[in-house]
Amino acid sequence: MSIDGTDVRVDYSRVFTQAIDRLHAEGRYRVFIDILRNKGAFPNARCFAGHNGPKPITVWCSNDYLAMGQHPKVIAAMEEALHDVGAGSGGTRNIGGNTHYHVDLEGELADLHGKEAALLFTSGYVSNEATLATIAKILPGCIIFSDELNHASMIAGIRNSGCEKRVFRHNDVAHLEELLREADPAAPKLIAFESVYSMEGDVAPIAAICDLADRYNALTYLDEVHAVGMYGARGGGISERDEVADRLTIIEGTLGKAFGVMGGYIAADRMIVDVIRSYAPGFIFTTSLSPVLVAGVLASVRHLKSSSAEREGQQASAKMLKAMMRDAGLPVMLGDTHIVPVMVGDPVKAKKISDILLAEYGVYVQPINYPTVPRGTERLRFTPGPAHTPAMMRELTDALVEIWGRLELRMAA
């Protein structure tokens, strides 16, 4: 097609190729590992990429923090549900019906957080995006105050709400108050933040933020995806551990990390949950979770409400690995949570370290690059679990020290 003799056709292939080429040039093109976990033997797995047949590897970056995806109770519950009701849910909950497993799980999750009700979604991303977008649209003139390190799903929900947004510096209560003070006192307000920030491993000052919410008449929205199952006497997250769950308006969580299966949810009072259930397109028009998955989560949640052994084992492993890495001079980011980040600061080098670990040491850890973290803060993110042994940790630490020396990387000061 031409206009005045000039070819104006869009070369779609060239545009797409250039987009991928940019990622390669910046060293942040993502490669997904071809892997199968070994049932009942986590963190052992099999890697199929670049090998003649599967190669044994050790997984160090799974978000199945407590290995509940391998737990006998979870697997048995899923097998029982499969043979009882079949594979799928039959559609949306409006069309396919409210599978009783979903009703039971929502009751368990509401109880876990001390709320009146809960609502299931197909993922934590969807629960964040759908809830934040919907609740802000329901509140005319709403202003959302968002921590600068909030997850992409929260940012998407806030953007899709079309409401006014104010971003406060990460975990900076003074800056948050400054923004709240400047806002129209009559405007509806919502403070959105996370409890455990998964790339830094630090924890939000939840009580202090709730104090500000009370002072400035704001609602609170806490993302607990990296904390549910992990903290608190029953696995209710940091808000349970710090005894502030009752002060939060909405608590959001995932079923695909510490609980080991799949899905997301919110817990709040009945009216708020009913509003989201009735208005959120991300809930209304999405096929509901398979009852097989929900049965597995139900078993996991119930188990972790009564068992702290997994949490204690994981915390002990994280503490031990941080100490080993620190003593070896590696640039590990120290903190009190289960996340063990090792700073690299360069996307190409982070990918190189990951490749060497996998090819030469049978260790799998995915490099974390932009946009997940800011440019210049690229890192390796380790998540030791209760089944990672001291011998595994020593082998990992020794491997990292060797690679750091080989690539002439800077050790910790």
Side-chain angles (χ1 to χ4, degrees):
M1 178 181 177
S2 65
I3 298 177
D4 296 330
T6 302
D7 189 349
V8 295
R9 290 176 299 179
V10 177
D11 186 345
Y12 296 106
S13 178
R14 185 173 68 88
V15 174
F16 295 141
T17 300
Q18 288 175 339
I20 294 299
D21 286 346
R22 285 196 299 271
L23 296 179
H24 282 292
E26 295 172 14
R28 59 186 186 94
Y29 178 76
R30 297 175 186 238
V31 178
F32 299 154
I33 189 172
D34 187 352
I35 187 176
L36 285 175
R37 300 201 294 175
N38 298 333
K39 174 175 169 284
F42 187 77
N44 297 313
R46 293 156 281 167
C47 176
F48 291 83
H51 309 293
N52 294 322
K55 172 186 175 180
I57 63 170
T58 303
V59 177
W60 278 100
C61 56
S62 173
N63 282 342
D64 186 0
Y65 296 130
L66 304 179
M68 288 304 295
Q70 306 284 314
H71 199 283
K73 288 182 181 178
V74 174
I75 294 170
M78 294 178 75
E79 289 177 338
E80 181 181 347
L82 177 65
H83 294 291
D84 181 29
V85 301
S89 65
T92 67
R93 289 170 71 172
N94 178 53
I95 292 173
N98 231 13
T99 303
H100 192 64
Y101 286 110
H102 293 71
V103 176
D104 279 350
L105 179 55
E106 286 172 345
E108 289 286 353
L109 292 169
D111 171 75
L112 178 65
H113 296 293
K115 300 298 183 186
E116 292 179 346
L119 189 67
L120 290 175
F121 295 83
T122 51
S123 72
Y125 188 105
V126 175
S127 55
N128 269 336
E129 193 282 327
T131 303
L132 284 167
T134 301
I135 199 163
K137 287 177 180 177
I138 293 293
L139 295 168
C142 181
I143 304 171
I144 294 185
F145 299 81
S146 175
D147 188 287
E148 67 177 342
L149 294 188
N150 275 345
H151 190 264
S153 57
M154 301 175 75
I155 295 170
I158 295 167
R159 182 183 299 117
N160 292 342
S161 74
C163 74
E164 186 176 348
K165 176 182 71 172
R166 309 275 175 87
V167 178
F168 60 93
R169 290 187 292 271
H170 178 53
N171 282 347
D172 190 332
V173 177
H175 187 220
L176 172 59
E177 180 163 25
E178 179 183 325
L179 296 177
L180 286 165
R181 192 185 303 117
E182 293 171 351
D184 180 357
K189 301 173 185 67
L190 173 67
I191 305 171
F193 61 110
E194 301 181 36
S195 58
V196 173
Y197 288 83
S198 64
M199 295 302 141
E200 282 70 30
D202 57 350
V203 176
I206 302 176
I209 291 175
C210 287
D211 288 343
L212 291 181
D214 292 343
R215 191 174 307 154
Y216 292 93
N217 191 30
L219 303 178
T220 49
Y221 183 99
L222 179 66
D223 177 319
E224 285 259 46
V225 296
H226 290 278
V228 289
M230 303 293 294
Y231 302 92
R234 301 194 307 156
I238 298 293
S239 58
E240 182 194 16
R241 186 196 73 178
D242 294 354
E243 300 181 344
V244 290
D246 61 308
R247 302 185 64 189
L248 294 155
T249 311
I250 301 172
I251 296 175
E252 184 268 348
T254 184
L255 308 171
K257 293 183 171 61
F259 292 128
V261 189
M262 180 181 177
Y265 67 92
I266 59 166
D269 68 38
R270 284 192 181 87
M271 185 58 68
I272 289 177
V273 169
D274 200 20
V275 164
I276 304 303
R277 181 191 70 86
S278 302
Y279 282 90
F283 173 80
I284 297 170
F285 299 108
T286 302
T287 297
S288 63
L289 285 168
S290 162
V292 177
L293 297 172
V294 179
V297 177
L298 191 56
S300 182
V301 171
R302 286 172 172 167
H303 175 79
L304 290 175
K305 277 184 175 180
S306 61
S307 172
S308 293
E310 292 81 7
R311 286 187 284 277
E312 292 168 0
Q314 196 287 324
Q315 288 291 333
S317 292
K319 184 178 180 179
M320 182 180 294
L321 183 60
K322 288 175 188 176
M324 284 187 184
M325 289 181 169
R326 179 198 62 217
D327 293 345
L330 292 165
V332 60
M333 299 168 64
L334 300 177
D336 297 326
T337 66
H338 57 285
I339 309 295
V340 185
V342 176
M343 185 61 66
V344 179
D346 180 274
V348 176
K349 291 176 181 177
K351 179 67 166 58
K352 181 68 173 176
I353 298 167
S354 173
D355 289 345
I356 294 173
L357 284 170
L358 184 62
E360 299 183 21
Y361 290 94
V363 165
Y364 171 50
V365 60
Q366 189 75 349
I368 307 297
N369 295 329
Y370 178 84
T372 307
V373 295
R375 298 180 195 274
T377 68
E378 293 82 6
R379 67 200 66 178
L380 303 175
R381 174 182 176 272
F382 297 91
T383 54
H388 286 94
T389 66
M392 290 176 179
M393 296 183 206
R394 174 52 57 197
E395 290 171 3
L396 170 63
T397 302
D398 290 345
L400 286 170
V401 169
E402 187 279 319
I403 296 168
W404 241 253
R406 187 194 313 186
L407 300 182
E408 299 181 339
L409 299 172
R410 181 178 297 178
M411 300 294 278

